[in-house]
Amino acid sequence: MYAPALLSLALGLWGIRRDGTLWRDEAVTYDMARRSLPDLWSTLADADAVHGLYYLLMHLLFEVTRGLDPLLVLRLPSVLATAAATGTLALLGHRLAGPRAGLLAGSVFALLPQVQRYAQEGRSYAIVCALVVSATYLLVRAVASRDGRTWVAYAAVLVAAGLLHEFAVLALTAHAVAVPRAARRAWAGAAAVVLVTVAPLAVLSTRQSDQVSWIGRPGAGALAGFAGTAVLALACAAMGRKPTSRVLRASGCPSSRSGSSSCPPCCSCWSRWSHPCMWTAMSSTARAAPPC
């Protein structure tokens, strides 16, 4: 399963400097990461708290990589995170449906234009994507093994994803539909920890929503994209109603529930329609996370 990850890494490194240019949001990342910690903390109290943890991590990275090309420092974490997400997705496909499915899933994911866009972007989205995919893989392991330590790891990874961007908790909607009855109690406990931990950040970021009030409601193209994703997920669920994977049968995760992958983008679309100032870039991350 190394091939998809290496493919993603190669594509991400290719032209990573983009002729020495960066766009507006990347410039914000660079500016925030290069501030002093007191200045950064003061700024986050009034704006952009939703990305606060990411800015802190990038601040530390710039501190330890002084003298290196700032564009590489800015974008390399996203490249590595995308490669990690691709490799983990391939492992998940291998575990659920066999090596061919894993290879194809990872390779197709690496080649998606939207994935490659965020792979070379100095923002938190690629890292959050990698964490959500990792959490989904841990969920499958936890359901199959019933190991408490795996449930703890699942919750910890989703907490990290949620603190990097609160929209990552939308992955819980897909997981809720996919988790078999025997594991629902353990999953509910892990989900509660995630929600309680991320809730203060969500409340704070809601108070700062004016900074993105210029973002309008989704247009016809965005709605069509969400609808297409949901239809594709449901079609895949219909084709996989009879699982052949030994792990899938043993874990009790029914493949007919794999339509749950449509839940996060649909929730994201609804939230943006009902509250336009909510940022929905993370819908792509939610779509990237495969179901149990």
Side-chain angles (χ1 to χ4, degrees), residues 134-156:
S134 298
T136 306
Y137 180 76
L138 287 170
L139 175 63
V140 173
R141 288 189 54 185
V143 169
S145 66
R146 300 182 181 181
D147 181 13
R149 291 173 297 180
T150 309
W151 283 113
V152 171
Y154 165 75

Side-chain angles (χ1 to χ4, degrees), residues 236-244 248 253-259 291-292:
C236 291
M239 290 187 294
R241 293 183 68 87
K242 295 181 179 181
T244 57
L248 192 61
C253 291
S255 61
S256 60
R257 290 179 180 172
S258 61
C292 173

Side-chain angles (χ1 to χ4, degrees), residues 44 47-53 162-167 201 205 208:
L44 294 176
D48 232 7
V50 66
H51 296 296
L53 179 58
L163 293 178
L164 280 169
H165 199 299
E166 62 203 47
F167 268 35
L201 175 63
S205 62
Q208 300 176 353

